[in-house]
């Protein structure tokens, strides 16, 4: 039996081919691994390099701001609604509430004035030349009435304004929180004129509460019915400002003589029309007073002729 010797060259060749194939397969596997590693590395780099998205956080933040803004708008709308309601309520006319005590005070102040405190003076002339007497009350009588009926009354001078040689005083009287004003006038060139303006303002403010209102009402009705005649042109301030401006002895003599002929008391007449004494007159006021007395003297003479 013949023994076949192994083909050593063939076996060696097969082994070489096997090693080559294994080596090639290993290289392919290594190449695939390197490629995979490279792709993973690039993916990681891309992820790392990519900007972090804030979409979710921004959306959450935006929603929070919108909620806060909506809340603020709701609060503003509610406040505006309340304010509109308050304005509407304030705009509605509300009838003033007059305390009963004040009504009672007004009723008492409107009562007729005691005849003992009413004074009379020559006031004005109608178109026929008839002289009408005027009834009035002094400022201190008005103050006494207020003290008796409204003890807590208050008085204040609100304004003093000079207009030419005249002064206008605005006085206010307050009773139980209700204030009413009056305006009085007088000469601005003497203290007496300013006091007169204040006293007249006080009385006119008191008339608006009802004090002595019937006196003014009667006078107004008569003037409206009879009409007034042109008034004598007396200076607004009859008082002399200096010795050089004082009435002269000659003027005083004429004044007294004319007053006797007219049958009037010279001092009473001077107080009635000029609110001062004859020896306090300025020369200009004395001349006007002389003209006034001449008119009275002529009227008296005409009356005597008609009587005869």
């Amino acid at each position: 039996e013949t023994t076949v010797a192994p083909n050593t060259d063939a076996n060696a060749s097969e082994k070489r081919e096997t090693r080559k194939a294994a080596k090639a397969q290993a290289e392919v596997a290594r190449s695939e691994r390197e490629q995979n590693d490279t792709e993973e590395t690039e993916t990681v780099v891309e992820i790392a390099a990519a900007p972090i998205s804030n979409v979710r956080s921004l959306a959450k933040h935006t929603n929070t701001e919108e909620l806060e803004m909506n809340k603020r708008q709701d609060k503003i709308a509610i406040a505006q609604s309340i304010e509109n309601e308050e304005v509407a309520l304030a705009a509605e006319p509300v009838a003033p509430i007059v305390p009963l005590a004040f009504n009672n005070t007004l009723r008492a102040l409107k009562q007729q004035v005691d005849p003992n405190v009413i004074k009379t003076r020559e006031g004005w002339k109608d178109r026929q030349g008839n002289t009408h007497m005027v009834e009035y009350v002094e400022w201190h009588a008005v103050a006494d009435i207020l003290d008796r009926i409204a003890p807590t009354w208050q008085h204040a001078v609100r304004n003093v304004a000079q207009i030419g040689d005249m002064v206008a005083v605005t006085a206010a009287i307050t009773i139980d929180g209700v204030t009413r004003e009056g305006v009085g006038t007088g000469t601005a060139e003497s203290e007496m004129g300013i006091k007169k303006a204040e006293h007249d303002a006080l009385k006119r403010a008191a008339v608006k509460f009802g004090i002595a209102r019937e006196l003014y009402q009667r006078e107004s009705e008569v003037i409206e019915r009879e009409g007034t005649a042109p008034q004598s042109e007396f200076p607004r301030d009859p008082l002399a400002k200096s010795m050089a401006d004082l009435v002269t002895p000659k003027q005083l003599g004429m004044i007294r003589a004319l007053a006797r002929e007219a049958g009037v008391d010279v001092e009473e007449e001077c107080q009635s029309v000029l609110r001062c004494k004859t020896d306090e007159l300025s020369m200009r006021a004395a001349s006007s007073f002389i003209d006034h007395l001449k008119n009275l003297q002529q009227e008296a003479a005409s009356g005597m002729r008609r009587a005869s």
Side-chain angles (χ1 to χ4, degrees):
E1 182 175 354
T2 304
T3 303
V4 180
N7 190 353
T8 307
D9 294 334
N11 291 337
S13 177
E14 289 177 0
K15 289 180 180 180
R16 284 196 298 272
E17 291 296 328
T18 301
R19 285 197 296 270
K20 287 181 180 179
K23 185 177 180 180
Q25 188 175 0
E27 288 179 355
V28 171
R30 186 179 63 186
S31 176
E32 289 178 353
R33 285 196 304 271
E34 289 178 354
Q35 185 175 359
N36 291 335
D37 292 339
T38 302
E39 290 177 355
E40 289 178 0
T41 302
E42 290 176 354
T43 302
V44 171
V45 171
E46 289 177 357
I47 293 173
I52 298 174
S53 175
N54 292 328
V55 173
R56 180 170 299 178
S57 60
L58 283 175
K60 183 177 180 180
H61 183 65
T62 303
N63 291 337
T64 302
E65 287 186 348
E66 289 180 355
L67 290 174
E68 292 296 331
M69 185 178 296
N70 291 336
K71 289 180 180 179
R72 287 196 297 270
Q73 290 177 349
D74 291 341
K75 290 180 180 179
I76 293 172
I78 293 172
Q80 186 67 36
S81 176
I82 294 173
E83 183 179 354
N84 292 339
E85 290 180 1
E86 291 177 350
V87 170
L89 290 174
E92 293 180 359
V94 179
I97 300 175
V98 180
L100 181 60
F102 181 67
N103 282 333
N104 294 335
T105 301
L106 279 182
R107 193 176 298 110
L109 292 173
K110 290 178 181 178
Q111 293 178 358
Q112 289 191 353
V113 177
D114 183 357
N116 294 325
V117 301
I118 297 176
K119 295 188 175 183
T120 304
R121 62 176 174 81
E122 182 179 314
W124 54 280
K125 292 183 179 181
D126 59 27
R127 296 188 183 95
Q128 287 72 37
N130 300 318
T131 300
H132 292 261
M133 305 305 291
V134 174
E135 294 180 325
Y136 68 99
V137 291
E138 296 284 1
W139 71 270
H140 50 78
V142 171
D144 290 341
I145 295 172
L146 288 168
D147 287 341
R148 186 177 69 255
I149 298 176
T152 59
W153 73 284
Q154 295 177 334
H155 165 242
V157 174
R158 291 290 181 85
N159 186 46
V160 178
Q162 184 172 351
I163 306 170
D165 58 353
M166 296 294 292
V167 62
V169 176
T170 302
I173 293 176
T174 301
I175 301 175
D176 293 342
V178 178
T179 301
R180 295 174 182 177
E181 297 181 349
V183 178
T185 58
T187 176
E189 299 179 358
S190 69
E191 183 180 358
M192 183 182 298
I194 297 173
K195 286 182 178 180
K196 174 185 176 298
E198 181 182 354
H199 296 164
D200 287 348
L202 174 68
K203 291 193 292 183
R204 287 188 170 93
V207 167
K208 294 181 180 178
F209 283 101
I211 298 177
R213 185 177 292 174
E214 72 277 4
L215 302 182
Y216 288 87
Q217 186 175 358
R218 285 201 297 267
E219 180 182 354
S220 298
E221 290 174 353
V222 174
I223 291 175
E224 184 177 353
R225 183 175 63 252
E226 302 292 340
T228 58
Q231 300 296 312
S232 301
E233 290 296 330
F234 291 113
R236 292 178 177 177
D237 182 10
L239 299 176
K241 301 300 182 295
S242 64
M243 292 299 296
D245 188 39
L246 192 63
V247 57
T248 65
K250 182 178 179 180
Q251 287 177 316
L252 284 175
M254 291 182 64
I255 287 172
R256 294 189 179 99
L258 289 169
R260 284 195 301 269
E261 293 177 5
V264 297
D265 185 293
V266 65
E267 292 300 334
E268 287 184 0
E269 188 68 18
C270 189
Q271 285 285 348
S272 175
V273 297
L274 292 173
R275 305 288 193 278
C276 65
K277 298 178 180 179
T278 54
D279 56 4
E280 297 175 335
L281 293 172
S282 65
M283 288 188 290
R284 179 186 173 191
S287 297
S288 299
F289 190 48
I290 288 171
D291 292 338
H292 171 72
L293 292 174
K294 285 180 179 179
N295 292 333
L296 294 181
Q297 189 267 339
Q298 291 173 0
E299 291 175 3
S302 298
M304 291 177 63
R305 285 195 297 270
R306 285 195 297 269
S308 61

